[in-house]
Amino acid sequence: MTVRYRVDLSEAERTELQALVSGGRQAVRKVKRAQILLAADAGHGDEAIAATLAVGTATVHRTRRRFVAGNLDAALGERPRPGAPRKLSGKEEALLVATACSEPPEGRARWTLDLLAGALVALTGHDAVSGETVRRRLAENDLKPWRRDMWCIPRVDAEYVARMEDVLDLYAEAPDPARPVVCFDESPTQLIGEAREPVPAAPGQPERFDYEYRRNGTANLFVFLDAHRPWRAVKVTDRRTGRDFAACMRDLVDVHYPEAERIRVVLDNLSTHSAGALYEAFPACEARRVLRRLDFHFVPKHASWLNMVEIEIGVLRSQCLDRRIAERERLEAEVAAWQRRRNAEGARITWMFTTERAREKMGHAYPDPEPSLKQAA
């Protein structure tokens, strides 16, 4: 093929293209065009360039032509691509966003793509607007009006700060076998059985199971985690009542830490997590015997993330419980095996958030003392 467009790069153009090809984040098509121009400048033919760069000869010819007929920017840049113009103007897109953020029509729980398309037709001069047009414009504005998130905003008051710093100081202490720090929480889990026998995995074929399942009730997992040594324990129960909590606290004292003088227990504000639960479960003398060995440290309300055991429960769910387990007996066996293995591996939670970091990150939310107290301090 006769070369109709000869590429002769200046030294400045050659340097610019070599820099573009050798580094930096650039569009792949732009880099390819730069490579084509450099190869053409070196005297290579279209077929050789196309074979080396894995592009078509038409691409090579077109890049040459744009450079010769125009300039370097014309050869490297993107021309407007064919296609229909955007159906919605800027004002109409703003109207769509405002509508999606407003209350849905009466009788409807939320906006849908079809409802928004119909609203645009009613509010603008368009005869019709497709749901896909609405979806694309919403995606560009990061809007999903059919979704809702629920959250709880904690009130960072003096009580919140006091509880947070109390727990963080416990985590920062040096390990003390006589006064261990144990994080405690519970987590329900479903017992799920198979409606049909799964098909085992085979070479080239993943395991297959039916989307239908049998719900065989629920169980509860009480989880203990030592904040300063690689130890955790999981107790499976049918319920999570105050009596179950009391039994866990007695296990903590008599089974898990029989030699400890005092056990500092970090836990959340569930109503069953109380000293009174032990008096409801045991005779007064037994309840007092257990409680003499325990100190309860409660995390702030709506701040369960401060309880280190929450991280461990997440690990338990991802490593052990992310599957269908039908019977409680198997659940107990699987959880016990996971517990033994994780303890044997010496796995620990590395806690990085300290009182100093809390004051640095959240200082603006701390309560503001009276001016006279500031001066006294």
Side-chain angles (χ1 to χ4, degrees), residues 157-178:
D157 54 11
E159 180 66 20
Y160 185 103
V161 170
R163 289 188 176 190
M164 176 179 66
E165 294 200 351
D166 173 53
V167 170
L168 294 178
D169 284 351
L170 287 179
Y171 293 165
E173 286 184 6
D176 184 356

Side-chain angles (χ1 to χ4, degrees), residues 28-29 33 48 87 119 151 172 174 177 180 211 243 261 315 339 374:
V28 175
R29 288 192 293 269
R33 293 179 188 127
K87 186 158 191 175
W151 78 98
Y211 73 95
R243 291 180 179 273
E261 296 174 6
V315 176
Q339 171 188 311
K374 286 183 181 179

Side-chain angles (χ1 to χ4, degrees), residues 109-110 144-150:
R110 59 189 60 85
K144 297 178 181 179
W146 50 88
R147 292 186 56 184
R148 295 192 303 167
D149 289 333
M150 179 183 293

Side-chain angles (χ1 to χ4, degrees), residues 178-347:
R179 304 177 71 243
V181 176
V182 178
C183 301
F184 174 85
D185 202 3
E186 58 266 282
S187 179
T189 188
Q190 293 192 71
L191 299 174
I192 300 295
E194 301 288 356
R196 297 174 181 82
E197 193 68 23
V199 179
Q205 177 65 58
E207 179 187 10
R208 290 175 291 173
F209 58 94
D210 199 289
Y211 73 95
E212 291 187 25
Y213 59 88
R214 292 194 179 96
R215 190 172 184 274
N216 297 333
T218 60
N220 182 69
L221 306 175
F222 285 108
V223 184
F224 307 82
L225 176 73
D226 194 305
H228 293 131
R229 68 185 180 97
W231 175 86
R232 73 275 299 137
V234 184
K235 182 178 182 179
V236 182
T237 62
D238 291 326
R239 300 171 302 277
R240 54 173 183 170
T241 64
R243 291 180 179 273
D244 297 307
F245 170 76
C248 286
M249 293 301 101
R250 183 159 67 176
D251 288 347
L252 197 57
V253 166
D254 295 340
V255 178
H256 301 308
Y257 293 88
E259 305 299 326
E261 296 174 6
R262 301 284 290 186
I263 305 168
R264 279 84 62 78
V265 186
V266 177
L267 64 173
D268 64 19
N269 298 272
L270 196 65
S271 60
T272 55
H273 295 173
S274 67
L278 279 79
Y279 281 91
E280 292 177 356
F282 309 131
C285 58
E286 176 67 359
R288 178 46 48 192
R289 179 190 73 82
V290 174
L291 286 171
R292 283 197 184 102
R293 301 266 310 283
L294 299 173
D295 284 334
F296 292 151
H297 296 260
F298 294 96
V299 299
K301 292 182 179 180
H302 311 309
S304 58
W305 60 272
L306 280 166
N307 195 339
M308 198 183 293
V309 77
E310 292 282 345
I311 302 173
E312 191 68 16
I313 291 174
V315 176
L316 170 61
R317 291 205 168 277
S318 65
Q319 292 185 350
C320 178
L321 303 180
D322 190 19
R323 52 181 163 159
R324 294 177 181 178
I325 299 178
E327 302 85 19
R328 174 174 165 171
E329 293 75 16
R330 187 186 172 205
L331 175 65
E332 290 179 335
E334 295 289 343
V335 167
W338 173 86
Q339 171 188 311
R340 288 192 301 271
R341 186 181 187 90
R342 192 153 167 82
N343 284 339
E345 292 172 347

Side-chain angles (χ1 to χ4, degrees), residues 83-88:
R86 293 169 72 94
K87 186 158 191 175
L88 302 182

